[in-house]
Each structure stands twice: as structure tokens, then as C-alpha cells.
Amino acid sequence: MHVIHFAFECGGFDNRLMRGGLSPLVWNLSREYAARGHRVSLVTPAHGLLETLRRDHPVEELPYVHEHRVPLVPDPKVWPDHPAEIGLDLTTRAHRLRRDGVDVYFLSDACLDLLPDRLYPPPGTEGRDLAYFKPLVFQVAGAHFIQRYLKGEAAVVHGFEPYYHYLLPTLFAGDPALRTVSTVAANAPIAQAVYRPQVERLLGVFGVDADLDAFAAPLPAEDSPEATMARVLAGTRMHVEAGPDHIAFLPMILAHADLVDFVSPGQRDHYSTFRDTPFESLFRALPVSRMLRERAPKLFTGGCGISDSWLARDPRAVDREAVLRGLGLDASLPVFYHAARYAVHHKGQLELVRAVEEVLAGGTEAVFVLRFATNGGGGTAPAANAYFQSVADRFPGRVHLDWRLADEDTLFEQAACADFCVFPSKFELDGFLIAQAEAMACGAVPIATAQSVTAHFGHALPVDDPRATGLSLPGSFRDDDPALAAALAERIRQAVALRRTAPGDYARLSANARATARRFTWSRSADRRLDAFADLLRDRPRPFPVEDAVRWGWFDSLPADAWSRHRELIARSAADLGDTAAYGRCAPLDQQAYERLFEAAYARADFVRCAETARAAGRDDWAARVRGRYRVFRDATGGRILEYRHPHARHVELAVPGTVTPATGLESRAEAVASDEAVPADSGMVLRALAPAGDGVFRGALPGSSAGRRLLVMLTLDSGRVTWDSLPCDGLADRPAFRLVATDLDGTLLRDDQTVSARTLRALARVAEAGARHLVVTGRPAAACKQYLAALGYQGLAVCGQGAQLYDAGADRLLSSASLDLGLAQEVVERVEGALGPLELGVVTAPPESRFKVTPRFGERVRHGWDVTTDRGLLWTDPIDKLVLHHTSVPEDEVESVARTLCGDRVTVVHSVRGMVEVLPAGTTKAAGVERAAKLLGCDAAETVAFGDMPNDIPLLAWAGHGVAVANAHPALRAMADEIAPGNDEDGVAAVLERLFGTSEEPS
């Protein structure tokens, strides 16, 4: 096959074209493909280094000259002094180097030849220097080159790093001869976005029309927890906030690429879920989260490896004493090694140097070989960070600091001398997949972050585990993290003691590290990718990754047959996540199961699931435990104090308005701007730690600006999981305790005579005055409740049809509706009649008619205007929304129980009105409908108070932050409700609303 590699750097064969791990990834895969007889074309910029390369390599000029204009459309907010469009007139030429069976094509023009020393534009040049657009120009010039010069046979176009090729899958999507693959090598923020007008303009250059609206991410509602999370995370390396004039480019790749490739299994896990990170909650609200689920078969793990030349070398042949003496270091002391591109924050290098300073100042006997590469190698390199250099200068003979990018000979010699290798990656942004593996392959015991991306290296296992390879560090999600620096210092001291006092344990870890790393070869990695490419070219579909989806908790994405084929696996995963709904589909929900689910959710600080489980189990003590996790009180000075408690919390931090203060003296502003790491924006929100008070209790003062707002805290648990908790602060201001009031109609809001009392109308008016929303939630179809909504003067959203319909009353427009399969409905009738005997039947036809068709003996429930028929066949002539069962002698509770037992895995069965049992599409509940409506209204479950009277209201009351049953409610609903209100004829809803929202007059 023909594989076209598209990479911004490829210098695995020459370190003058190398800036980091991308080069060996691209080059070693190219060599492996070529060695198997495949045609490999590697397209890359020349970076202004052609003359340098010609001195050592046979570079030939090709008869390719392309004169073209690249239109640059700069964002005026970032480039305020530039025209709306800048036309770059370029003449792109191509040169070829044939090496190891690979054709390397160097593209050269006035833009692509910029920045020969660093290759990549520094992020700090954005808005100031047009060289910033060099990667974008490479996409345009490279796409033209592929179409004009390389096209001619079926090929796989394999791009490395989405930011450097995001246009290509869209440009080539309509070309049957080109299949595209995108490799995500470093975990850049998944919401990273580009200026939409620029994308539209460049797609137009190639005559491609794409629906970019599909990739737009709506901004979270102002003052919502998600909006606060986004502002806090925008000050980190995990998230980049973008306005509506930007689009995230990873969704473009997911939509149009044929495969999306990851370099480790843990990286694919992480990028699919962001589980246990501060970004997880916000990620779930982004369109890309949904797209990853929908396109899960596209995701695969090609892996990463160590070069054959490295593995062929013998670490024992290295003269340790001579190498270390040449570096000015004492060979008798334990050696700690770090080699990576200079990246102060996301590679954890700042914390590493702080830890080195601490342990050496404290007298620890050890030496450090630290490589922070800043250029293409050769000669000397200036210090990129004055603080780093000062630490090295302060401890001569103990620290060797090198700013150059070295060749393999040098790196191998130094790695072979290392007793330990230190790789404290942060934000799950960098896996150190090659550098760490290379050092481990020499026998160095890793000290590295316990993150998903490098979980396969085994260093996060307990040290006494027979498979363990090293020592782990806690994950970190902040710049200049003192906790990570302290953990590094602790692990370095622990490593020195291990080497000295437990040589047998050290030898076991070292042997495991060597054996583990040597399993990751480029040969195996290439074979996995080539197999996937062959499937692409044969149009062989990839299966849905059921086992992965179960592990990730994607239960709503599973194919129907997975629930039977993988029942035990799903049950285990659901139990670990505390997911009661998924577990209940696989195993009995007895009290023991409920307790296990509750404790699992509580340990994860997933309090929404905790509350759901407590209500489902009827455990008021569990609900109280959830509510009691925090309190707000006033101290002696009148200030507000937040007290938060969780037995597994390591840190609790409150999101407050503020500005990030950079670490003084550790990195200057100029150094930050000159680095390859973008400086996070000042989002106006920061995290402030609550002080530990013992026994899992944390306390801190609330700022005045928190009055009347929900509080958002970030929890770091002992397990390493980081998650958010949104706390309603009742009583801090004149804001209502709830922002959403969800009420059933019949038997709840309406009196038995189907009217709405004046008192209820006044209470609902008070709800609106307080700034809260009223949401009608009814089992009636939308067409059958219009008169009641009119009586209420209701103009908002309504959840109708037991949650199957979302109706805009003000516009008289049905926004969404779910239908029940006719064949399935008839099967339900057959099975229930087989158990209970003949039934009387009713169906509600699909909108817009929404007629109620019933058989003659449906009972006293028959109403004027219903269609009565003696011919059952007429029930199935039109699409239906729901089926209604009525038995003339069997109680409806028994009918409901039998129908749910026989068919509950394929439909939803509810009892909402006396004498009627309703059968609806699977997954249809009032709770599901209200959750959809609440999201549109910018509210969540904790902000909702819900009212009902029948068993079909149980999911709704369980979902809401506070569930109220009226006194006339069914016993099953009263048993699980948080509160029992007066009956519907006594205006029970109004009585509760008056207490919650107040009233300006005495109730009648």
C-alpha cells in the first residue's frame, strides 16, 4: 500500500529536524512500513534547513513548483492592527531525500523556511508575527502537494498531531482514493479551537463545503457550574475557552477522518472520557464527547515504541564511571535522569527542579542528569530558564544540566548510567512514551506520574506488586504545584533509601522496568497500524468497542445485544461507578446492591448518583449523609464560613473570582513567552484551598461575591480522582432555594375537578417573581394538555407524554417526540394477555393528531372525543406514541408489575392514572424529559423541586434535588418522597411553594 505521512517534524534520522517525540514516532513508523515493502512518502516542511541537510544527505530537487496564494484571515481580537485578509503569495518547491526505503519530501517556500532554529512558532508570537501561521501554511501547501504530485493510487494519508493537519480529513473526505488517519500524540486540550472564518476561507480555496455548525460548542449558561468550571480550567493547560467565532478542530477530524489513532491504550481511555480529571464534567457537556461515542469504532491504539538501534545496544557495555566523570558527577552516588524537550509546566520540569533543590539542600546523596532540550543540537545552547540554571550552578558535581537536543549515542550513554528516571508529566498532556521507555529499557527505575497515558509502564502499581516497575507520583492539574514538588522530593529520598537499604527490591524493579519497556517495539506498533490501514482500503468495518465502552461507562451507547452478552461485565463496571440504572438492568437491586452502589458513588464523590440511589433504596439516612457533606455558617465576626467534609478528600478548593499569580523568580514573563508552552489566559476565576481541620473536614471563608450564588468546589480524593461539587447555598441571599419547579398536572397541580385554584396561580406567580422557572410535566400528550396550559397562562417548555415529548407552549410547537414500535407494542399485548387474560387496550397516535383510540370495554375511563373501536386491528394502522393497558378485574399495580417483568427490558412501563398502565419507548421517563428541558433552561437536578402523585412520578422525584408527593399520592410515591404536601384539592403544591419562595399575602 501507499502510506503518506504528513508531519510537521520528521527528524528521527537527523536531530537537526527534531524537536521532540513526534520525530522518532514518524520516522520509525516510516522505516517499518518501508521495510515491509510498502511505499512510504513523508511530507514535511524544509524549515530552512535544506543547505544544512545537503551537507550530509543526498537531497534532490524535484520538478515541482507551485505558485499559489494562501489567504490568512486573522482574528481581529488577536491581530487588531492587521487587515481582514492577508494574501501570502508563495512559490512552494519540493525536494526529496530517499533513506531506508522512505521518500522524504521537504516542502520549501518563504513561509515554510522560517524558524530554522526552533521549527515551531512560539505561542507568544500569536498576534505579533505572521510566522505564527507557518503550521497552517504547511497544511495548505502539503494538501496541494499530495493532490498534485503524490496522488495516483489508493493511499492512506496519515497525519500526526491534529493541530498540524486538521484540514486534511475534510479536504480529502470526498476523494475515494485517499483515506485519512489522524494520530493524537500529545494530549492537547480537546476543546482547542481555531478561527472559523479562517477555516471557511481555506476550505473555499479547495472548493470544499463543510457543515461547520455541527462542530460548534455552545457556551454554558452564565452562572452555571459548567461556566465556572470553564473559567477556572481556562487558567490551566487543560482547557481553552473560545468564542462562537471559533470551532474546535478535533470534532472536524472525528467527523471526516477514517481512523483516529492513539499512542497508548491509556491515552485513548483518557481522551475518550477524561475520567477522574477536573475536565471530566465539562467534557461531558461538549459536542466532542458525544461525537467520540458515536464514532467509537474509529478510535484505535497504534501504540508507540523504542527504536531497534536503541534496543540493540547493551547498557552493560557503557563505562558508567567514565561517562559520569565526563559530566563532572560522582559515579558512586545514585543517578537520577530526565531527558525531554524544555516545557516548564506540562512536563513537570519546574516541580522537578524545585525537588532537586530541596533534596540536595537537605543533604541527600544523589546526582542528577537533567536534559531540557531547546534547540536542534550541536554547539552550545543558552539557558532557557535562569532559575533552573541557578540550581545547577549552586550544586556543582551533583547536577549536570544540558539545554541541547542530543543524538542517540549521547542519550543512550547517559540513560545507561541512570539508576532512576524521573518523568513528572502533568495535566495528562505528555506521556513521555519514548523517553521514559528508553530509560527503562536500560534498567532505570521510573519515578513518574500515575496517569492513564503511561499506565502500561507499571510504575503506578504498589511497589510490592510482583509486576511493579517503579514509584508513582500523584497526578497534577495546575502550574507550579507545590504538592507535586513535595511528592517528587519524597520519592527521590525514598529511591535513594531503596537503592541503599533494599538492593533486592531495587533489582526486581529494575529488571521489571527493563522487561516491560522492551516489549514496546516499533515493529509491533507498525503491524497494528498496517492491519488497520488494510481494513480501511478494503472497506472492512470496525466493530463497536463494547468492552471499552463498558469500562468507560458508556452504557447508553451499548448495542442492545451487549446487555445479554456482557451482563456480568456491565454489572461490575456499573457497580464500580455507582450507576444504579445500568446495574439494575443486569442484576437484582436489593438492599445489599443499593448499599454497594451508594458507597461506590460516595467514594467517587458522585453525589448526584448518591442521591438517586438513596431515593431508589428509600434510605433517608443516605440522603441526609449527602446533604450533610457541607454547611455554611457565620463566624464571630459575621463572616460566612464554608465547611466541607468527605472522608476520602485530600484537598478541597473553592472557585472564587481572582487572578492567577505567577511563581516569583521561577519563570520570568519573558521566559514563558519564549517557551513552547502557551501562557494560560487570565479567566478571572481561581481556586482557593480550604484549610484541613481533621477527619476529612475542610473550612474556609466565603468571599462576599459568593452571596446568592451556587458554590463550586474542586475535590482531590486520596485515589487521585479530581472532581467538582456544586453546592446550593440556601439562605446566603434572597435567591430562591430552587431555580426550577417541576409539577405534574392531574392529581397534583390540578384539583380533582381539573381546575387550577387562585392560590396556586398566586404561588406560581411568586415563583416567577423570584427568578425561578415553572415546568409542567405530564403524562398527557402535548395535544391533550393545551387547555390546561392556557388556564395557567403557561408560555414555557412542557414535558409531555411521560417524558417522550418536549413542547414549547408559547410557540405551540412540538420540539421532540419519541414513538413506540408497533410490532413491539403488539408483542407486549400478547405476552401480558398470556399471563393475565384479555385486556382492554388504548393507544395514543403520534403527533400531530395524537388521537386516543380505545377498545369498547376500556372502562369508566372512556372520555368524550376518544375513538372507540371494536376492531383491534385499527389500533395499529398509524404510528403510536404509547400503548395503554386496562384490565377489568386485575388491579393496575399487578398489571404494571407483570408487564414490567415480561417486557421491561425493551419498553418503559408506568402507572400514572388509576386503571391505566402505560407502555412507552424504552428509556422514556418524566425524569429523562425534565433533564433535557432543565439543560435547555440552564438548570440541574440539585436546583429542581418536583411534585407528583403517581408511580410514574417516582423517577422525577428521585432525579430532583427535592421531591414532594401530595397527600393523595400513590403509596409507592409517598414512600420515596422527601416531603409530603397537602392533597391536590387542598392546594398542596401552593403550600410548599409559599414556604420555599414566600408570599405577599395570606393564602386563601
Short mmCIF file of all heavy atoms in Angstrom, two decimals, residues 592-636:
data_model
loop_
_atom_site.label_atom_id
_atom_site.label_comp_id
_atom_site.label_asym_id
_atom_site.label_seq_id
_atom_site.Cartn_x
_atom_site.Cartn_y
_atom_site.Cartn_z
N GLN A 592 -28.57 -4.86 49.61
CA GLN A 592 -27.12 -5.03 49.57
C GLN A 592 -26.54 -4.38 48.33
O GLN A 592 -25.48 -3.73 48.38
CB GLN A 592 -26.78 -6.52 49.61
CG GLN A 592 -25.28 -6.80 49.68
CD GLN A 592 -24.98 -8.27 49.80
OE1 GLN A 592 -25.87 -9.11 49.78
NE2 GLN A 592 -23.71 -8.61 49.94
N ALA A 593 -27.22 -4.54 47.19
CA ALA A 593 -26.75 -3.92 45.95
C ALA A 593 -26.81 -2.40 46.05
O ALA A 593 -25.88 -1.70 45.64
CB ALA A 593 -27.57 -4.42 44.78
N TYR A 594 -27.94 -1.89 46.60
CA TYR A 594 -28.06 -0.44 46.75
C TYR A 594 -26.92 0.12 47.61
O TYR A 594 -26.35 1.17 47.31
CB TYR A 594 -29.41 -0.09 47.39
CG TYR A 594 -30.55 -0.03 46.42
CD1 TYR A 594 -31.74 -0.72 46.68
CD2 TYR A 594 -30.48 0.73 45.26
CE1 TYR A 594 -32.82 -0.67 45.80
CE2 TYR A 594 -31.56 0.79 44.38
CZ TYR A 594 -32.72 0.09 44.65
OH TYR A 594 -33.77 0.15 43.78
N GLU A 595 -26.61 -0.59 48.68
CA GLU A 595 -25.54 -0.10 49.57
C GLU A 595 -24.21 -0.08 48.85
O GLU A 595 -23.43 0.88 48.97
CB GLU A 595 -25.46 -0.98 50.81
CG GLU A 595 -24.42 -0.48 51.81
CD GLU A 595 -24.53 -1.15 53.17
OE1 GLU A 595 -25.38 -2.05 53.32
OE2 GLU A 595 -23.79 -0.75 54.08
N ARG A 596 -23.92 -1.13 48.09
CA ARG A 596 -22.66 -1.17 47.33
C ARG A 596 -22.60 -0.02 46.32
O ARG A 596 -21.58 0.64 46.19
CB ARG A 596 -22.54 -2.52 46.61
CG ARG A 596 -21.28 -2.64 45.75
CD ARG A 596 -21.26 -3.94 44.98
NE ARG A 596 -20.10 -4.01 44.11
CZ ARG A 596 -19.92 -4.95 43.19
NH1 ARG A 596 -20.83 -5.91 43.02
NH2 ARG A 596 -18.84 -4.94 42.43
N LEU A 597 -23.70 0.21 45.64
CA LEU A 597 -23.74 1.28 44.64
C LEU A 597 -23.59 2.65 45.29
O LEU A 597 -22.87 3.52 44.79
CB LEU A 597 -25.06 1.20 43.86
CG LEU A 597 -25.17 0.02 42.90
CD1 LEU A 597 -26.64 -0.27 42.57
CD2 LEU A 597 -24.39 0.29 41.62
N PHE A 598 -24.29 2.84 46.42
CA PHE A 598 -24.19 4.13 47.11
C PHE A 598 -22.76 4.39 47.57
O PHE A 598 -22.21 5.49 47.37
CB PHE A 598 -25.14 4.17 48.30
CG PHE A 598 -25.07 5.45 49.07
CD1 PHE A 598 -25.83 6.54 48.72
CD2 PHE A 598 -24.21 5.58 50.17
CE1 PHE A 598 -25.76 7.74 49.42
CE2 PHE A 598 -24.13 6.76 50.88
CZ PHE A 598 -24.90 7.85 50.50
N GLU A 599 -22.13 3.39 48.18
CA GLU A 599 -20.78 3.59 48.70
C GLU A 599 -19.78 3.82 47.57
O GLU A 599 -18.84 4.61 47.73
CB GLU A 599 -20.35 2.40 49.56
CG GLU A 599 -21.14 2.25 50.86
CD GLU A 599 -20.99 3.46 51.78
OE1 GLU A 599 -20.00 4.21 51.64
OE2 GLU A 599 -21.86 3.65 52.64
N ALA A 600 -19.96 3.16 46.43
CA ALA A 600 -19.07 3.38 45.29
C ALA A 600 -19.20 4.81 44.78
O ALA A 600 -18.20 5.49 44.51
CB ALA A 600 -19.38 2.39 44.18
N ALA A 601 -20.44 5.29 44.66
CA ALA A 601 -20.65 6.66 44.20
C ALA A 601 -20.12 7.66 45.22
O ALA A 601 -19.54 8.69 44.86
CB ALA A 601 -22.13 6.90 43.92
N TYR A 602 -20.32 7.36 46.51
CA TYR A 602 -19.86 8.28 47.55
C TYR A 602 -18.33 8.36 47.56
O TYR A 602 -17.76 9.43 47.71
CB TYR A 602 -20.38 7.84 48.90
CG TYR A 602 -20.23 8.89 49.98
CD1 TYR A 602 -21.18 9.91 50.10
CD2 TYR A 602 -19.15 8.88 50.84
CE1 TYR A 602 -21.04 10.89 51.07
CE2 TYR A 602 -19.01 9.86 51.82
CZ TYR A 602 -19.96 10.86 51.92
OH TYR A 602 -19.81 11.83 52.87
N ALA A 603 -17.67 7.21 47.40
CA ALA A 603 -16.21 7.21 47.38
C ALA A 603 -15.67 8.02 46.20
O ALA A 603 -14.59 8.59 46.28
CB ALA A 603 -15.69 5.78 47.31
N ARG A 604 -16.43 8.07 45.11
CA ARG A 604 -16.04 8.85 43.93
C ARG A 604 -16.50 10.30 44.03
O ARG A 604 -16.26 11.09 43.13
CB ARG A 604 -16.63 8.24 42.66
CG ARG A 604 -16.01 6.92 42.25
CD ARG A 604 -16.77 6.26 41.10
NE ARG A 604 -17.04 7.19 40.01
CZ ARG A 604 -16.15 7.54 39.08
NH1 ARG A 604 -14.93 7.02 39.13
NH2 ARG A 604 -16.47 8.38 38.12
N ALA A 605 -17.21 10.65 45.12
CA ALA A 605 -17.79 11.98 45.30
C ALA A 605 -18.77 12.31 44.17
O ALA A 605 -18.89 13.45 43.74
CB ALA A 605 -16.70 13.06 45.39
N ASP A 606 -19.50 11.28 43.71
CA ASP A 606 -20.54 11.46 42.70
C ASP A 606 -21.87 11.56 43.44
O ASP A 606 -22.59 10.59 43.59
CB ASP A 606 -20.53 10.28 41.73
CG ASP A 606 -21.45 10.50 40.53
OD1 ASP A 606 -22.34 11.37 40.63
OD2 ASP A 606 -21.29 9.79 39.52
N PHE A 607 -22.17 12.77 43.91
CA PHE A 607 -23.29 12.94 44.83
C PHE A 607 -24.64 12.93 44.11
O PHE A 607 -25.66 12.69 44.75
CB PHE A 607 -23.10 14.22 45.63
CG PHE A 607 -21.84 14.20 46.46
CD1 PHE A 607 -20.80 15.08 46.19
CD2 PHE A 607 -21.67 13.26 47.45
CE1 PHE A 607 -19.63 15.06 46.93
CE2 PHE A 607 -20.50 13.22 48.20
CZ PHE A 607 -19.49 14.12 47.93
N VAL A 608 -24.66 13.19 42.83
CA VAL A 608 -25.91 13.06 42.08
C VAL A 608 -26.36 11.61 42.10
O VAL A 608 -27.52 11.29 42.39
CB VAL A 608 -25.74 13.58 40.64
CG1 VAL A 608 -26.98 13.27 39.81
CG2 VAL A 608 -25.47 15.07 40.64
N ARG A 609 -25.42 10.71 41.80
CA ARG A 609 -25.77 9.28 41.83
C ARG A 609 -26.06 8.82 43.25
O ARG A 609 -26.90 7.96 43.47
CB ARG A 609 -24.65 8.46 41.21
CG ARG A 609 -24.69 8.49 39.68
CD ARG A 609 -23.65 7.61 39.05
NE ARG A 609 -23.86 7.52 37.62
CZ ARG A 609 -22.92 7.20 36.75
NH1 ARG A 609 -21.69 6.94 37.18
NH2 ARG A 609 -23.19 7.13 35.46
N CYS A 610 -25.35 9.38 44.23
CA CYS A 610 -25.64 9.04 45.62
C CYS A 610 -27.09 9.35 45.96
O CYS A 610 -27.80 8.53 46.56
CB CYS A 610 -24.72 9.82 46.55
SG CYS A 610 -23.04 9.23 46.65
N ALA A 611 -27.54 10.55 45.58
CA ALA A 611 -28.91 10.96 45.90
C ALA A 611 -29.92 10.07 45.18
O ALA A 611 -30.95 9.68 45.74
CB ALA A 611 -29.11 12.42 45.51
N GLU A 612 -29.64 9.74 43.91
CA GLU A 612 -30.54 8.86 43.16
C GLU A 612 -30.65 7.50 43.84
O GLU A 612 -31.75 6.94 43.97
CB GLU A 612 -30.02 8.69 41.73
CG GLU A 612 -30.11 9.96 40.89
CD GLU A 612 -29.38 9.80 39.57
OE1 GLU A 612 -28.67 8.78 39.38
OE2 GLU A 612 -29.50 10.70 38.72
N THR A 613 -29.52 6.95 44.26
CA THR A 613 -29.53 5.64 44.90
C THR A 613 -30.25 5.69 46.24
O THR A 613 -31.01 4.77 46.60
CB THR A 613 -28.10 5.12 45.08
OG1 THR A 613 -27.45 5.10 43.81
CG2 THR A 613 -28.08 3.73 45.68
N ALA A 614 -30.02 6.75 47.00
CA ALA A 614 -30.67 6.87 48.30
C ALA A 614 -32.19 6.90 48.15
O ALA A 614 -32.93 6.24 48.91
CB ALA A 614 -30.18 8.13 49.01
N ARG A 615 -32.67 7.65 47.17
CA ARG A 615 -34.12 7.72 46.96
C ARG A 615 -34.68 6.39 46.48
O ARG A 615 -35.72 5.93 46.94
CB ARG A 615 -34.45 8.83 45.95
CG ARG A 615 -34.14 10.23 46.47
CD ARG A 615 -34.74 11.29 45.54
NE ARG A 615 -34.32 12.62 45.99
CZ ARG A 615 -33.33 13.32 45.45
NH1 ARG A 615 -32.68 12.84 44.42
NH2 ARG A 615 -33.01 14.51 45.92
N ALA A 616 -33.96 5.77 45.52
CA ALA A 616 -34.45 4.48 45.00
C ALA A 616 -34.49 3.43 46.09
O ALA A 616 -35.38 2.57 46.11
CB ALA A 616 -33.56 4.02 43.85
N ALA A 617 -33.54 3.47 47.01
CA ALA A 617 -33.48 2.48 48.09
C ALA A 617 -34.35 2.86 49.28
O ALA A 617 -34.50 2.07 50.21
CB ALA A 617 -32.03 2.31 48.56
N GLY A 618 -34.91 4.08 49.26
CA GLY A 618 -35.72 4.53 50.38
C GLY A 618 -34.92 4.75 51.64
O GLY A 618 -35.42 4.55 52.75
N ARG A 619 -33.68 5.18 51.49
CA ARG A 619 -32.79 5.36 52.63
C ARG A 619 -32.61 6.84 52.94
O ARG A 619 -31.78 7.53 52.36
CB ARG A 619 -31.44 4.70 52.34
CG ARG A 619 -31.48 3.20 52.25
CD ARG A 619 -31.78 2.54 53.59
NE ARG A 619 -30.75 2.83 54.56
CZ ARG A 619 -29.69 2.05 54.78
NH1 ARG A 619 -29.56 0.91 54.10
NH2 ARG A 619 -28.79 2.38 55.68
N ASP A 620 -33.43 7.35 53.84
CA ASP A 620 -33.32 8.75 54.23
C ASP A 620 -31.98 9.05 54.89
O ASP A 620 -31.49 10.18 54.81
CB ASP A 620 -34.46 9.13 55.19
CG ASP A 620 -35.81 9.14 54.49
OD1 ASP A 620 -35.82 9.25 53.25
OD2 ASP A 620 -36.84 9.03 55.19
N ASP A 621 -31.38 8.05 55.57
CA ASP A 621 -30.10 8.29 56.22
C ASP A 621 -29.00 8.54 55.20
O ASP A 621 -28.11 9.35 55.41
CB ASP A 621 -29.74 7.12 57.12
CG ASP A 621 -29.73 5.78 56.39
OD1 ASP A 621 -30.49 5.62 55.40
OD2 ASP A 621 -28.97 4.89 56.81
N TRP A 622 -29.07 7.85 54.06
CA TRP A 622 -28.09 8.10 53.00
C TRP A 622 -28.30 9.50 52.41
O TRP A 622 -27.35 10.22 52.14
CB TRP A 622 -28.22 7.06 51.89
CG TRP A 622 -27.83 5.68 52.30
CD1 TRP A 622 -27.23 5.31 53.48
CD2 TRP A 622 -28.01 4.49 51.54
NE1 TRP A 622 -27.02 3.95 53.49
CE2 TRP A 622 -27.48 3.41 52.32
CE3 TRP A 622 -28.54 4.22 50.29
CZ2 TRP A 622 -27.51 2.10 51.86
CZ3 TRP A 622 -28.56 2.91 49.83
CH2 TRP A 622 -28.05 1.86 50.60
N ALA A 623 -29.57 9.86 52.19
CA ALA A 623 -29.86 11.19 51.66
C ALA A 623 -29.34 12.27 52.60
O ALA A 623 -28.78 13.29 52.17
CB ALA A 623 -31.35 11.35 51.41
N ALA A 624 -29.52 12.05 53.90
CA ALA A 624 -29.04 13.01 54.88
C ALA A 624 -27.52 13.10 54.86
O ALA A 624 -26.93 14.17 55.04
CB ALA A 624 -29.53 12.63 56.27
N ARG A 625 -26.87 11.97 54.65
CA ARG A 625 -25.41 11.95 54.56
C ARG A 625 -24.91 12.80 53.38
O ARG A 625 -23.92 13.52 53.50
CB ARG A 625 -24.95 10.50 54.41
CG ARG A 625 -23.45 10.29 54.41
CD ARG A 625 -23.18 8.80 54.40
NE ARG A 625 -21.82 8.48 54.04
CZ ARG A 625 -21.40 7.27 53.69
NH1 ARG A 625 -22.28 6.27 53.66
NH2 ARG A 625 -20.14 7.04 53.37
N VAL A 626 -25.64 12.71 52.28
CA VAL A 626 -25.27 13.52 51.11
C VAL A 626 -25.50 15.00 51.40
O VAL A 626 -24.63 15.84 51.15
CB VAL A 626 -26.08 13.08 49.87
CG1 VAL A 626 -25.83 14.02 48.71
CG2 VAL A 626 -25.71 11.65 49.49
N ARG A 627 -26.67 15.31 51.95
CA ARG A 627 -26.98 16.72 52.24
C ARG A 627 -26.03 17.29 53.29
O ARG A 627 -25.73 18.49 53.28
CB ARG A 627 -28.43 16.85 52.71
CG ARG A 627 -29.46 16.63 51.63
CD ARG A 627 -30.84 17.08 52.11
NE ARG A 627 -31.29 16.30 53.25
CZ ARG A 627 -32.04 15.20 53.16
NH1 ARG A 627 -32.39 14.74 51.97
NH2 ARG A 627 -32.42 14.55 54.24
N GLY A 628 -25.54 16.44 54.18
CA GLY A 628 -24.70 16.93 55.27
C GLY A 628 -23.24 17.06 54.92
O GLY A 628 -22.42 17.32 55.81
N ARG A 629 -22.89 16.92 53.64
CA ARG A 629 -21.46 16.99 53.28
C ARG A 629 -20.90 18.40 53.41
O ARG A 629 -19.69 18.60 53.42
CB ARG A 629 -21.22 16.47 51.87
CG ARG A 629 -21.79 17.36 50.75
CD ARG A 629 -21.72 16.64 49.41
NE ARG A 629 -22.16 17.45 48.29
CZ ARG A 629 -23.40 17.64 47.92
NH1 ARG A 629 -24.39 17.07 48.61
NH2 ARG A 629 -23.70 18.40 46.87
N TYR A 630 -21.79 19.42 53.52
CA TYR A 630 -21.30 20.79 53.68
C TYR A 630 -22.31 21.59 54.48
O TYR A 630 -23.47 21.22 54.61
CB TYR A 630 -21.09 21.44 52.31
CG TYR A 630 -22.37 21.92 51.66
CD1 TYR A 630 -22.75 23.25 51.69
CD2 TYR A 630 -23.21 21.01 51.02
CE1 TYR A 630 -23.93 23.68 51.11
CE2 TYR A 630 -24.39 21.43 50.43
CZ TYR A 630 -24.74 22.77 50.48
OH TYR A 630 -25.92 23.19 49.91
N ARG A 631 -21.83 22.65 55.04
CA ARG A 631 -22.72 23.62 55.67
C ARG A 631 -22.06 24.99 55.59
O ARG A 631 -20.84 25.11 55.47
CB ARG A 631 -23.01 23.26 57.13
CG ARG A 631 -21.83 23.38 58.07
CD ARG A 631 -22.19 22.86 59.46
NE ARG A 631 -21.09 22.99 60.40
CZ ARG A 631 -21.03 23.92 61.36
NH1 ARG A 631 -22.02 24.78 61.51
NH2 ARG A 631 -19.99 23.96 62.18
N VAL A 632 -22.88 26.02 55.62
CA VAL A 632 -22.41 27.40 55.62
C VAL A 632 -22.90 28.05 56.91
O VAL A 632 -24.07 27.95 57.26
CB VAL A 632 -22.94 28.17 54.39
CG1 VAL A 632 -22.55 29.63 54.47
CG2 VAL A 632 -22.42 27.54 53.11
N PHE A 633 -21.97 28.67 57.63
CA PHE A 633 -22.35 29.32 58.88
C PHE A 633 -21.56 30.61 59.03
O PHE A 633 -20.63 30.87 58.27
CB PHE A 633 -22.10 28.39 60.08
CG PHE A 633 -20.67 27.96 60.23
CD1 PHE A 633 -19.78 28.67 61.02
CD2 PHE A 633 -20.19 26.83 59.57
CE1 PHE A 633 -18.46 28.28 61.18
CE2 PHE A 633 -18.87 26.43 59.72
CZ PHE A 633 -18.01 27.15 60.51
N ARG A 634 -21.94 31.41 60.00
CA ARG A 634 -21.26 32.68 60.25
C ARG A 634 -20.33 32.54 61.45
O ARG A 634 -20.69 31.91 62.44
CB ARG A 634 -22.26 33.80 60.49
CG ARG A 634 -23.08 34.14 59.25
CD ARG A 634 -23.94 35.39 59.46
NE ARG A 634 -24.72 35.71 58.28
CZ ARG A 634 -24.27 36.43 57.26
NH1 ARG A 634 -23.03 36.92 57.30
NH2 ARG A 634 -25.04 36.68 56.21
N ASP A 635 -19.15 33.13 61.32
CA ASP A 635 -18.22 33.11 62.46
C ASP A 635 -18.51 34.29 63.39
O ASP A 635 -19.50 35.01 63.19
CB ASP A 635 -16.77 33.13 61.96
CG ASP A 635 -16.43 34.39 61.17
OD1 ASP A 635 -17.22 35.36 61.19
OD2 ASP A 635 -15.36 34.41 60.53
N ALA A 636 -17.66 34.49 64.37
CA ALA A 636 -17.92 35.52 65.39
C ALA A 636 -17.93 36.92 64.79
O ALA A 636 -18.56 37.83 65.34
CB ALA A 636 -16.87 35.43 66.49
#
